[in-house]
């Protein structure tokens, strides 16, 4: 270095006889010839204790005799003298404060930018008090240890820092990606997460959207208690977003603010208090895509931290902003068609043929106008009742009409007749005014409701000549998510459609505000449907790319929850949403042509159209028709009491009969009594049907009675792990409450991800998604939905009200006892499920499964549903068995032993009953043994045999006598009538025994002979015997 002092020993005494090098062109003797350089003095300016590099200032010699009046040369700049080879310049080090001691004091020390580069640094000096701080717009000058105002084009927070530029991660920030910890109970980790980090995108930093855990970290040491604040957009609950703070012991603080709320209306502000000392800030996201849909990222910007006590420098304004005055605490964005660079004190206007959006860093050349840069609309009706088709440039207008081949704005069309007013309104004073109370209108004129009727209040829009006063429209930027203050929807007579935004990824916003509702009767606490109103709209989507239309509902201006989304082209169709809470409501339609940002407008022909909007029961609404009601003496109408329906004939209220419930909403006309489904009963107020945990089932000539009160309490079922397309594990959590509770739905599923307070969904059957990682208070539960808001019936049939429960989905049950099936339907209507989600629960008997039993889903549909709309469950439990009756057991009769016979009753196997009737006691009765009856039988048989033998002997002897008599008669007759022809061998021949058997012409059996004896006996006591002559003549009777 030129002009430095070398070989100088640091001392406060003048140095004599040392060799000095001075700056070129300067000589200490130049103005005084008698002075020598050795007579100049060196005084230290700054030094460090280690004896390294020191800064010295050369002073003139003391006044010498005879040298008065000499002219001294100008003083040289400070010179450096070193006892080591290093050289320390002020640009090579900076100042910092040491940690505060117990007395609240600290020291200011110089710290080299590169450690070890040199050792000659300024000596430490006592610093300011630890509680010292500068005001906003000021910074602490460390050299002077005083607060100074920031220069123009810069700003400061005084006691804090702000990070609003995200072209890259600011100094001190770190982004890390981790896979799922395998120790959380959900199995293996998701691989390939090294690239899943927070990404800086200019004005903000964006989270990951894949199924990894990305963490943005920043460590800060606060000298006093402070805060951290930031703005964020969190539109998609498919990402788990948490912000938390840890101290230097890695202990989390502000746990109550850890889980962030979703946002629906642009950027939201979040602030957390910080403690004095070390604080590590964490922004952590974990995405999951259960339904194969890439979630929208979390965006964070404008991170500010206070409590650092001071800032040693001011921050330059980022490009697109400026600070015109010194001492600014913030920078202002540049207006439209102006731009600025970094650290600007003002914004420069763009050239005539260029443009810039608000907050732009540079101007862009204007493109030539095309037919996509203008749109059509209708003018308001004039005093003649006419309107005109008009064309206007889309806002903001960035194109130029003066360039070659630029499109020109088409001329306005001819004037046409204005459409009629919307229902409930009538033309008055050149505009449509609401009809007075007690009247109705179809749009042409107001008419009073007839006697015995009342107007049905609501809002119905189907003519779109002007935007209704309770509707507003705007555009939300798809780049920085700021509202632009321009119209996003335009009226077109028969419909309202989306205008052209500044970019194709802008959101076209349309909002309808409703102050509240006036239901005709109080909503009963036990009703299955808490409907107080409904909104129905007819829409159409014309798209060439993957456009999206969101329908969102807000309650009391606090939340704006998306309830339905349509993607791609859609034909003209209707959608209905049921309002279940009486509050100030907002209904919002948001249309985005494409999520990808490109310069210019390419898809302005992609539009969404709303043809009609109808909201019922609006507080202070208008009427398009009147309905029958119960007249009162005052002339007004009164609603029917709960459970009653208006009789059209008599005009009086009549109660719904037992077994029916009141269905329908007054907005549709008049409610009616409808029968309950099989196996259900109506409650006393006839507001719903329910099952009281009992069923009576006729089955094959017998009646089975079921009672299962233990199943009224909700049972839980967690399905096996499922995987998203990236391999993230999740589980479906179901809760089922079959019956009872007088129709009140006992199953509850919660969402504990997006809100600090739980959001609970109740129903007979509900579902939630469980996600890792698990927290100390339990697993993360997200996206709860109801699968059954009302019970349709309890039956053994596999089909009811269009819902089918195929038996083949589950293993077969017992053939003699069918499953009892509970059918439910939800009130939530979705695109794929036009009638709402449905659930079928099969209740199966198994006496060996104690309460609550086993709840399962089909093996081929492990998520509980095969089509996404109908869910199937099998509940096997002893509670599903019928009450035991006499048909469930049989008797077993024992042998007669010792004159006693026993009858024992046993259950039929397998036993398919429980409780009810118990087995009868054993029956004992007297009886006679088998040997007694054997003796009686033998005696009777012996007697009968003896009788038969006696009869046989008697008749045999009688027969011998008859034969003998017969032979005697024959011989006697032959002796008296010798002239007659000799009979053929009728006499006893010589040598024959008189007792020998006679041979007759016709032989008879023994019984035949007995018959002959009884029938042919003559009066004289002899038997007549027919004889046959030898000549063949007729027989002769003797």
């Amino acid at each position: 270095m030129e002009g430095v002092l070398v070989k100088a020993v640091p001392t406060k005494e003048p140095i004599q006889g040392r060799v000095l090098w001075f700056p070129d062109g300067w000589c200490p003797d130049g103005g005084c010839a008698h002075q020598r350089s050795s007579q100049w003095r060196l005084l230290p300016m700054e030094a460090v204790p280690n004896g390294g590099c020191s800064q010295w200032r050369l002073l003139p010699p003391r006044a010498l005799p005879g040298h008065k009046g000499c002219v001294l040369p100008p003083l040289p700049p400070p010179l450096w003298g070193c006892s080591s080879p290093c050289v320390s310049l002020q640009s090579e080090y900076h100042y910092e404060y040491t940690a505060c001691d117990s007395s609240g004091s600290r020291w200011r020390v110089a710290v080299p930018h590169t450690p070890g580069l040199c050792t000659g640094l300024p000596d430490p000096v006592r610093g300011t008090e630890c509680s010292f701080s500068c005001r906003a717009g000021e910074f602490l000058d460390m050299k002077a240890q005083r607060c100074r105002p920031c220069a123009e084009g810069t700003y400061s927070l005084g006691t804090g820092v702000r990070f609003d530029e995200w072209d890259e991660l600011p100094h001190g920030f770190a982004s890390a990606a981790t896979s799922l910890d395998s120790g959380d109970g959900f199995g293996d980790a998701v691989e390939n997460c090294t690239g899943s980090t927070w990404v800086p995108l200019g004005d903000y930093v964006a989270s990951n959207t894949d199924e990894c855990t990305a963490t943005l970290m920043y460590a800060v040491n606060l000298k006093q208690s402070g805060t951290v604040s930031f703005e964020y957009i969190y539109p998609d609950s498919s990402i788990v977003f948490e912000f938390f703070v840890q101290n230097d012991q890695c202990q989390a603080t502000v746990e109550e603010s850890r889980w962030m709320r979703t946002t629906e209306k642009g950027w939201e502000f979040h602030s957390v208090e910080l403690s004095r000392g070390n604080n590590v800030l964490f922004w952590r996201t974990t995405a999951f895509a259960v339904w194969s849909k890439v979630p929208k990222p979390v965006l964070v910007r404008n991170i500010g931290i206070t409590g650092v006590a001071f800032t040693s420098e001011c921050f330059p304004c980022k490009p697109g902003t400026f600070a015109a005055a010194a001492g600014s605490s913030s920078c202002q964005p540049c207006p439209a068609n102006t731009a600025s660079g970094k650290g600007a004190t003002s914004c420069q206007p763009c050239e005539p043929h260029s443009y810039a959006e608000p907050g732009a860093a540079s101007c862009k050349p204007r493109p030539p106008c095309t037919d996509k840069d203008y749109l059509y609309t209708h003018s308001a009706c004039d005093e003649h009742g006419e309107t005109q088709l008009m064309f206007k440039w889309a806002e903001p207008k960035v194109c130029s009409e003066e360039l070659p081949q630029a499109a020109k704005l088409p001329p306005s069309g001819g004037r046409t007749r204005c459409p009629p007013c919307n229902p409930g309104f009538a033309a008055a004073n050149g505009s449509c005014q609401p009809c007075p109370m007690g009247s109705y209108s179809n749009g042409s004129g107001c008419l009073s409701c007839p006697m015995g009727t009342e107007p049905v209040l609501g809002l119905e829009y189907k003519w779109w000549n002007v935007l209704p006063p309770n509707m507003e429209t705007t555009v939300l930027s798809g780049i920085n998510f700021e509202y632009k203050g321009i119209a996003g929807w335009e009226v077109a007579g028969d419909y309202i459609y989306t205008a052209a935004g500044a970019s194709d990824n802008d959101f076209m916003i349309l909002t309808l505000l409703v102050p509240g509702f006036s239901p005709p009767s109080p909503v009963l606490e036990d009703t299955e449907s808490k409907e107080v109103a409904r909104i129905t709209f007819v829409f159409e989507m014309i798209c060439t790319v993957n456009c999206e239309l969101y329908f969102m509902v807000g309650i009391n201006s606090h939340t704006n929850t998306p309830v339905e989304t349509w993607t791609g082209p859609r034909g003209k169709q209707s959608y209905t949403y049921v309002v279940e809470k009486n509050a100030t409501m907002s209904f919002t339609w948001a249309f985005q042509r494409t999520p990808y940002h490109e310069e210019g407008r390419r898809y302005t022909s992609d539009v969404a159209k709303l043809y009609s909007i109808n909201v019922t029961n609006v507080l202070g609404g208008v009427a398009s028709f009147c309905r029958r009601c119960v007249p009162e003496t005052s002339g007004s109408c009164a609603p029917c009491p709960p459970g009653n329906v208006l009789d059209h004939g008599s005009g009086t209220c009549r109660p719904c009969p037992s077994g029916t419930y009141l269905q329908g909403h007054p907005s549709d006309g008049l409610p009616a009594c409808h029968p309950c489904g099989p196996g259900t009963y109506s409650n006393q107020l006839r507001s719903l049907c329910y099952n009281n945990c009992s069923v009576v089932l006729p089955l094959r000539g017998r009646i089975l009675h079921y009672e299962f009160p233990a199943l009224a309490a909700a049972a839980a079922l967690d399905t096996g792990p499922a995987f998203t397309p990236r391999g993230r594990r999740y589980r479906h959590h179901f809760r089922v409450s079959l019956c009872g509770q007088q129709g009140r739905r006992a199953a509850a599923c919660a969402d504990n991800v997006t809100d600090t307070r739980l959001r609970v969904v109740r129903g007979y059957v509900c579902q939630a998604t469980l996600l890792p990682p698990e927290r100390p208070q339990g697993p993360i539960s997200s996206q709860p939905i109801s699968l059954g808001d009302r019970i349709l019936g309890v039956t053994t049939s596999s089909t009811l009200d269009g819902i089918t429960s195929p038996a083949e989905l589950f293993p077969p049950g017992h053939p003699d006892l069918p499953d009892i099936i509970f059918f439910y339907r939800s009130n939530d209507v979705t695109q794929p499920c036009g009638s709402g989600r449905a659930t079928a629960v099969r209740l199966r008997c198994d006496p060996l499964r104690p309460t609550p039993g086993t709840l399962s889903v089909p093996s081929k549909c492990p998520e509980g549903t095969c089509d996404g709309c109908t869910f199937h469950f099998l509940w096997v439990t002893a509670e599903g068995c019928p009450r035991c009756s006499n048909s469930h057991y049989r008797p077993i009769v024992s042998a007669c032993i010792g004159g006693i016979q026993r009858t024992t009753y046993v259950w039929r196997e397998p036993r398919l009953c429980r409780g009810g009737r118990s087995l009868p006691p054993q029956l004992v009765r007297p009886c006679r043994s088998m040997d007694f009856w054997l003796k009686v039988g033998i005696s009777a048989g012996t007697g009968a045999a003896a009788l038969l033998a006696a009869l046989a002997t008697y008749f045999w002897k009688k027969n011998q006598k008859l034969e003998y008599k017969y032979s005697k008669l024959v011989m006697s007759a032959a002796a008296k009538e010798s002239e007659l022809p000799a009979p053929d061998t009728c006499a006893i021949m010589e040598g024959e025994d008189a007792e020998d058997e006679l041979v007759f012409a016709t032989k008879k059996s023994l019984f035949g002979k007995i018959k002959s004896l009884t029938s042919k006996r003559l009066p004289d006591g002899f038997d007549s015997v027919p004889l046959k002559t030898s000549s063949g003549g007729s027989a002769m009777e003797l």
Side-chain angles (χ1 to χ4, degrees):
M1 174 179 178
E2 299 271 354
V4 295
L5 175 67
V6 296
K7 297 183 181 179
V9 178
T11 176
K12 294 184 180 180
E13 299 297 329
I15 301 177
Q16 301 293 334
R18 300 296 182 184
V19 180
L20 298 176
W21 290 356
F22 295 99
D24 293 340
W26 185 89
C27 177
D29 296 332
C32 192
H34 301 286
Q35 289 184 210
R36 297 188 303 274
S37 60
S38 60
Q39 296 176 329
W40 287 75
R41 297 177 298 135
L42 290 175
L43 293 181
M45 296 296 296
E46 296 180 2
V48 291
N50 57 13
C53 298
S54 301
Q55 190 179 32
W56 303 84
R57 180 169 295 279
L58 187 66
L59 297 181
R62 295 182 175 90
L64 300 176
H67 292 89
K68 296 181 179 180
C70 70
V71 179
L72 298 178
L75 294 179
L79 306 178
W80 288 93
C82 297
S83 59
S84 63
C86 75
V87 177
S88 282
L89 300 178
Q90 190 168 354
S91 60
E92 295 177 348
Y93 64 91
H94 63 278
Y95 292 107
E96 290 185 4
Y97 281 124
T98 61
C100 296
D101 55 24
S102 58
S103 62
S105 301
R106 56 186 173 182
W107 291 80
R108 188 201 68 180
V109 296
V111 179
H113 298 320
T114 303
L117 180 65
C118 66
T119 57
L121 295 174
D123 293 326
V125 297
R126 185 173 294 275
T128 60
E129 296 296 325
C130 292
S131 59
F132 176 83
S133 63
C134 295
R135 294 175 299 180
E138 296 180 341
F139 74 100
L140 179 64
D141 184 352
M142 291 292 291
K143 184 175 181 180
Q145 299 195 72
R146 295 179 58 186
C147 293
R148 301 185 184 279
C150 292
E152 297 88 346
T154 63
Y155 73 97
S156 79
L157 300 179
T159 61
V161 292
R162 177 184 293 150
F163 303 96
D164 53 8
E165 291 187 66
W166 296 92
D167 296 320
E168 59 182 3
L169 285 182
H171 177 71
F173 279 86
S175 179
T178 57
S179 58
L180 181 63
D181 185 4
S182 60
D184 58 7
F186 280 81
D188 298 334
V190 179
E191 298 179 356
N192 302 325
C193 289
T194 55
S196 302
T197 59
W198 288 75
V199 181
L201 295 175
D203 293 332
Y204 51 82
V205 59
S207 73
N208 64 320
T209 56
D210 54 14
E211 296 164 2
C212 299
T213 298
T215 304
L216 180 68
M217 297 171 288
Y218 183 75
V220 61
N221 183 275
L222 300 186
K223 306 304 180 183
Q224 57 187 351
S225 298
T227 60
V228 55
S229 62
F230 57 91
E231 297 177 17
Y232 73 100
I233 288 182
Y234 179 18
D236 198 334
S237 60
S238 296
I239 292 182
V240 180
F241 178 33
E242 52 182 328
F243 170 75
F244 58 98
V245 182
Q246 288 185 350
N247 55 23
D248 48 8
Q249 283 81 34
C250 295
Q251 296 174 343
T253 60
V254 293
E255 185 69 26
E256 67 277 3
S257 303
R258 178 166 185 158
W259 306 100
M260 306 299 295
R261 295 176 179 268
T262 54
T263 59
E264 289 81 22
K265 291 186 176 181
W267 295 92
E268 288 196 8
F269 180 82
H270 185 72
S271 178
V272 173
E273 294 184 358
L274 301 179
S275 302
R276 176 182 175 181
N278 292 323
N279 292 267
V280 183
L281 315 180
F282 293 88
W283 293 263
R284 179 175 293 169
T285 56
T286 303
F288 60 96
V290 176
W291 292 279
S292 301
K293 181 181 178 180
V294 177
K296 298 182 182 301
V298 175
L299 309 181
V300 176
R301 72 175 185 183
N302 292 340
I303 299 177
I305 303 174
T306 64
V308 296
F310 68 91
T311 177
S312 59
E313 60 180 344
C314 294
F315 300 95
C317 294
K318 67 178 183 178
T321 63
F322 70 100
S328 298
S329 60
S330 62
C331 300
Q332 303 299 319
C334 290
N337 295 322
T338 63
S340 70
K342 190 172 183 178
T345 60
S346 63
C347 299
Q348 302 301 319
C350 297
E351 297 294 332
H353 295 290
S354 61
Y355 75 99
E357 296 182 356
S362 61
C363 298
K364 301 178 183 178
R366 293 183 180 271
C369 293
T370 66
D371 57 356
K372 299 183 182 299
D373 292 313
Y374 60 81
L375 49 90
Y376 61 92
T377 185
H378 284 75
S379 65
C381 293
D382 57 15
E383 64 275 7
H384 303 291
E386 293 181 339
T387 183
Q388 186 179 22
L389 177 66
M390 302 178 62
F391 294 89
K392 64 179 183 179
W393 295 110
E395 294 293 337
K397 184 176 181 295
V398 299
C399 64
S400 175
E401 307 173 61
E402 301 175 358
L403 295 176
Q405 299 179 349
K408 303 298 182 181
L409 194 67
S412 299
R415 306 193 73 85
T416 59
R417 191 69 182 171
C418 283
C421 295
N422 281 306
F425 293 83
N429 300 324
S431 63
C432 293
Q433 300 295 328
C435 290
M437 183 64 65
S439 61
Y440 71 100
S441 170
N442 60 1
S444 58
C446 298
L447 300 173
S448 297
C449 289
M451 183 66 67
T453 64
E454 63 178 352
V456 180
L457 300 180
L459 290 175
E460 183 177 1
Y461 301 114
K462 61 180 181 180
W463 301 111
W464 303 94
N465 193 54
V466 293
L467 193 67
N470 60 338
M471 298 186 74
E472 57 186 27
T473 177
T474 185
V475 175
L476 177 66
S477 172
I479 303 174
N480 57 14
F481 297 94
E482 298 281 0
Y483 287 97
K484 298 185 176 180
I486 58 178
W489 294 67
E490 291 288 341
V491 295
D494 296 336
Y495 55 86
I496 182 172
Y497 74 103
T498 51
S503 174
D504 288 333
N505 69 331
D506 288 347
F507 292 89
M508 308 290 107
I509 308 296
L510 178 67
T511 301
L512 170 64
L513 301 176
V514 177
F517 304 95
S518 55
S521 60
V523 178
L524 302 177
E525 184 65 26
D526 60 348
T527 53
E528 289 182 344
S529 175
K530 304 291 191 305
E531 178 178 344
V532 297
R534 62 177 62 181
I535 177 173
T536 302
F537 57 89
V538 178
F539 70 99
E540 181 184 14
M541 296 171 62
I542 302 173
C543 300
T544 57
V545 291
N546 203 26
C547 63
E548 286 187 315
L549 176 64
Y550 302 88
F551 176 63
M552 298 174 286
V553 176
I555 302 176
N556 293 329
S557 300
H558 291 311
T559 59
N560 204 24
T561 305
V563 296
E564 192 59 81
T565 304
W566 296 270
T567 304
R570 297 278 177 170
K572 194 174 181 180
Q573 57 187 278
S574 174
Y575 176 79
T576 298
Y577 174 79
V578 176
V579 180
E580 296 185 348
K581 185 174 182 179
N582 194 350
T584 301
M585 306 289 290
S586 65
F587 304 100
T588 302
W589 294 264
F591 179 76
Q592 186 182 36
R593 292 177 169 88
T594 175
Y596 306 104
H597 173 67
E598 295 182 8
E599 293 292 337
R601 302 183 178 105
R602 300 179 56 188
Y603 305 109
T604 55
S605 58
D606 293 4
V607 296
K609 297 180 179 180
L610 283 175
Y611 291 92
S612 65
I613 302 175
N614 185 11
V615 188
T616 64
N617 293 334
V618 176
L619 185 66
V622 294
S624 60
F625 67 97
C626 300
R627 65 179 171 215
R628 292 289 303 271
C629 62
V630 182
E632 292 183 337
T633 56
S634 60
S636 61
C637 288
C640 289
N644 286 255
V645 66
L646 181 65
D647 186 270
H648 294 271
S650 62
T652 59
C653 296
R654 59 178 178 83
C656 287
S658 177
T660 64
Y661 70 103
L662 200 60
Q663 185 183 32
H665 201 268
S667 60
D668 301 326
L670 288 175
C673 300
H674 292 263
C676 293
T680 62
Y681 313 91
S682 59
N683 62 347
Q684 186 176 1
L685 297 178
R686 305 294 187 264
S687 59
L688 56 84
C689 297
Y690 70 97
N691 179 270
N692 59 354
C693 296
S694 65
V695 174
V696 178
L697 176 64
L699 182 66
R700 300 186 185 93
R702 54 178 178 160
I703 304 297
L704 300 180
H705 296 266
Y706 292 80
E707 294 182 7
F708 33 85
L711 302 186
L717 168 65
D718 289 343
T719 63
F723 296 88
T724 61
R726 278 289 303 271
R728 169 74 72 192
R729 287 195 174 195
Y730 66 94
R731 303 177 190 267
H732 283 311
H733 176 74
F734 297 97
R735 296 192 68 86
V736 180
S737 173
L738 280 185
C739 54
Q741 308 293 333
Q742 290 293 310
R744 293 181 177 88
R745 297 162 288 188
C749 298
D751 182 352
N752 59 8
V753 175
T754 58
D755 297 328
T756 55
R757 287 175 17 184
L758 291 179
R759 182 173 68 92
V760 179
V761 173
R762 296 188 180 276
Y764 285 102
V765 185
C766 64
Q767 176 197 24
T769 303
L770 300 183
L771 299 167
E774 295 194 13
R775 302 173 298 182
Q777 61 269 36
I780 298 175
S781 177
S782 177
Q783 300 173 336
I785 57 174
S786 174
L787 305 180
D789 292 312
R790 62 185 186 275
I791 185 170
L792 303 178
V794 183
T795 178
T796 58
S797 175
S798 297
T799 301
L800 180 65
D801 194 31
I803 306 173
T804 301
S805 174
E808 57 271 14
L809 290 179
F810 299 101
H814 197 277
D816 296 334
L817 189 64
D819 296 336
I820 298 178
I821 309 175
F822 290 72
F823 291 92
Y824 308 91
R825 194 181 291 280
S826 70
N827 296 328
D828 297 332
V829 177
T830 61
Q831 295 183 58
C833 311
S835 301
R837 300 181 183 91
T839 301
V841 181
R842 286 180 170 266
L843 184 61
R844 180 173 296 176
C845 169
D846 187 350
L848 302 179
R849 302 280 183 94
T851 305
T854 303
L855 194 63
S856 61
V857 295
S859 57
K860 61 174 164 182
C861 304
E863 295 188 352
T865 178
C866 302
D867 58 2
C869 292
T870 303
F871 290 76
H872 305 274
F873 300 91
L874 175 64
W875 200 338
V876 182
T877 174
E879 294 286 332
C881 298
R883 307 289 288 178
C884 295
S885 62
N886 54 6
S887 63
H888 291 98
Y889 57 81
R890 61 184 180 88
I892 297 179
V893 182
S894 67
C896 184
I897 301 175
I900 296 177
Q901 188 178 50
R902 303 176 186 273
T903 302
T904 305
Y905 298 91
V906 296
W907 297 112
R908 297 182 184 275
E909 293 297 337
R911 180 186 175 184
L912 299 176
C913 69
R914 67 174 189 88
R917 186 170 181 178
S918 58
L919 288 175
Q922 188 181 61
L923 180 62
V924 179
R925 58 183 178 180
C927 63
R928 297 186 181 273
S929 59
M930 189 64 187
D931 56 352
F932 170 80
W933 293 108
L934 182 59
K935 292 177 180 179
V936 172
I938 293 175
S939 300
T942 303
L947 178 60
L948 291 176
L951 289 175
T953 303
Y954 167 76
F955 284 110
W956 179 79
K957 289 182 177 181
K958 191 172 182 70
N959 183 55
Q960 291 295 327
K961 291 179 181 180
L962 289 176
E963 289 180 353
Y964 176 73
K965 290 179 181 181
Y966 174 74
S967 62
K968 289 294 186 178
L969 289 174
V970 171
M971 292 175 62
S972 175
K976 292 180 180 182
E977 298 178 8
S978 56
E979 68 277 3
L980 293 175
D984 295 337
T985 62
C986 289
I988 298 175
M989 300 302 294
E990 184 178 0
E992 294 180 350
D993 191 350
E995 298 296 324
D996 293 341
E997 183 181 0
L998 303 178
V999 179
F1000 296 91
T1002 301
K1003 291 187 176 181
K1004 295 183 178 180
S1005 64
L1006 176 62
F1007 291 99
K1009 292 177 181 180
I1010 295 173
K1011 184 178 180 182
S1012 298
L1013 291 175
T1014 58
S1015 60
K1016 298 296 185 178
R1017 186 175 297 274
L1018 295 179
D1020 57 0
F1022 294 95
D1023 298 329
S1024 62
V1025 180
L1027 299 176
K1028 187 176 181 180
T1029 62
S1030 60
S1031 61
S1034 59
M1036 298 177 62
E1037 188 177 63
L1038 296 180

